[in-house]
Amino acid sequence: MGWNRALLTDSGGFQMVSLLKLAEITEEGVKFRSPHDDTEMLLTPEHSVEIQNTIGADIIMQLDDVVHSMTTGPRVEEAMWRTVRWLDRCVAVHQRPASQSLFPIVQGGLQPELRRKCVEALIQRDMPGYAIGGLSGGEEKDIFWRIVSLCTDHLPRHRPRYLMGVGFPVDLVVCCALGVDMFDCVFPTRTARFGNALVPWGQLDLKRKDCATDFSPIDPSCPCTTCAHHTRASLHPLIVQKETVACNLITLHNLTYQLSLMQSLRQSVLEGRFPQFVQQFMEQQYPAGDYEQWAVNALAAVNIHLKPPSSACK
């Protein structure tokens, strides 16, 4: 791959949700129809780990039984306990524990008691890190943050805690405050395909007509190559005409934004000024002071109390 940096691979569990019409989940694994030739295939916990061992990623994920976050009833508990059993099968065949960290995944839907039981079962296995799965599927944000907080409160603090599928900038900052260390999400690349660039004040829609005559970069403070060599005016017709190069250029910018955000956040933690960082970030995102209530509640739970922006007080 030519990527001499950290690499994480997923197990294929999420595809159970996205391809459920093609899949049948049993204790053995996941049977599904190939979207290419309709042949029946089987993905087991063992095979998932074997594939990831071959790829050689630094962090690999267990195969878990994923249900949509809005699912209710006995299926949620069934999936949670099956995820625990599948973890044991993944551990049994993991060939490279010294060089590849296998992370289990906390499941349990939106039910606090199931989440607690799953966390308790997983930490008994003493894994090198832990993921929180099954969220960011349309549930209310006030429920979302409480489940995240419950998991981070009970997971070991000396091991990485990884929240899967979460990538909105506000979500990243709030969930870091709740104790999350790692994230993954398609958001910065997906939103780039629609011409939306991430900026400190939110999002910039490069399809807007006024961008056609705006010769400034997406963000003057951004160090990415897109901002160094392209203007909003040059990007506007490319995205309007759905040129692939526009998606690539905006993706480069969005990934740089996300990386810069997380680097700044981490530095603020190291320097003991994380609450001030959160306040400044939220003021940029919400200059009128109209913070989302779920974020206010979540931050208050960890003793970060947002103040009105100074600009809004004038």
Side-chain angles (χ1 to χ4, degrees):
M1 295 177 68
W3 180 253
N4 190 28
R5 300 190 183 188
L7 187 66
L8 181 151
T9 50
D10 201 359
S11 63
F14 177 73
Q15 280 63 39
M16 294 185 203
V17 174
S18 59
L19 300 176
L20 195 57
K21 292 181 180 179
L22 304 173
E24 176 189 355
I25 304 167
T26 67
E27 193 65 27
E28 183 181 12
V30 188
K31 292 181 180 178
F32 60 97
R33 293 282 178 182
S34 169
H36 302 293
D37 58 12
D38 203 41
T39 58
E40 186 176 279
M41 306 180 73
L42 175 66
L43 179 64
T44 65
E46 293 82 1
H47 188 42
S48 174
V49 169
E50 289 168 1
I51 293 171
Q52 294 181 84
N53 280 160
T54 301
I55 293 172
D58 302 282
I59 298 174
I60 66 176
M61 306 305 300
Q62 75 153 114
L63 184 67
D64 56 335
D65 187 354
V66 183
V67 295
H68 194 279
S69 64
M70 304 299 285
T71 301
T72 58
R75 175 72 181 102
V76 180
E77 184 169 10
E78 175 191 53
M80 185 271 285
W81 287 120
R82 178 173 288 144
T83 293
V84 175
R85 293 192 297 272
W86 281 3
L87 171 62
D88 291 335
R89 291 168 59 184
C90 289
V91 171
V93 299
H94 185 20
Q95 297 296 311
R96 301 175 60 188
S99 59
Q100 292 182 286
S101 296
L102 173 63
F103 281 20
I105 303 173
V106 179
Q107 293 291 349
L110 304 181
Q111 301 181 37
E113 189 56 33
L114 291 183
R115 289 280 177 171
R116 288 192 192 94
K117 289 180 179 179
C118 191
V119 168
E120 290 170 3
L122 297 185
I123 61 178
Q124 289 176 8
R125 275 73 176 172
D126 191 27
M127 304 301 291
Y130 298 86
I132 303 167
L135 292 174
S136 197
E139 69 276 3
E140 293 181 13
K141 281 300 186 88
D142 208 50
I143 297 175
F144 159 80
W145 81 259
R146 294 177 192 278
I147 294 295
V148 172
S149 183
L150 183 152
C151 293
T152 55
D153 283 348
H154 291 83
L155 288 170
R157 295 194 174 189
H158 61 290
R159 301 289 169 84
R161 294 172 289 191
Y162 162 32
L163 182 55
M164 306 182 76
V166 171
F168 294 160
V170 170
D171 294 6
L172 296 177
V173 172
V174 172
C175 289
C176 280
L178 296 175
V180 176
D181 304 296
M182 297 170 52
F183 304 86
D184 81 288
C185 193
V186 300
F187 171 66
T189 52
R190 177 176 289 169
T191 197
R193 297 202 298 268
F194 296 98
N196 295 316
L198 303 180
V199 288
W201 56 93
Q203 292 189 45
L204 174 65
D205 183 0
L206 290 163
K207 299 188 300 296
R208 287 181 354 201
K209 289 184 178 180
D210 61 311
C211 287
T213 55
D214 188 341
F215 294 94
S216 60
I218 294 173
D219 177 7
S221 65
C222 178
C224 78
T225 55
T226 300
C227 287
H229 300 291
H230 299 271
T231 66
R232 299 177 185 183
S234 67
L235 293 168
H236 172 77
L238 296 176
I239 196 66
V240 169
Q241 295 167 20
K242 299 181 180 179
E243 295 284 354
T244 303
V245 68
C247 303
N248 296 339
L249 291 170
I250 302 170
T251 290
L252 284 171
H253 166 81
N254 285 354
L255 292 176
T256 301
Y257 170 83
Q258 295 281 66
L259 287 170
S260 297
L261 172 64
M262 297 307 291
Q263 288 167 351
S264 298
L265 186 153
R266 184 174 185 274
Q267 191 63 31
S268 76
V269 172
L270 294 174
E271 296 175 359
R273 52 178 181 83
F274 179 64
Q276 292 85 354
F277 172 87
V278 173
Q279 179 67 43
Q280 182 181 19
F281 169 81
M282 295 296 284
E283 286 185 10
Q284 287 183 310
Q285 291 282 314
Y286 304 95
D290 52 341
Y291 309 126
E292 294 183 66
Q293 191 59 47
W294 75 270
V296 173
N297 296 340
L299 292 169
V302 291
N303 206 31
I304 298 178
H305 301 282
L306 294 177
K307 304 172 183 177
S310 54
S311 60
C313 298
K314 295 179 181 179

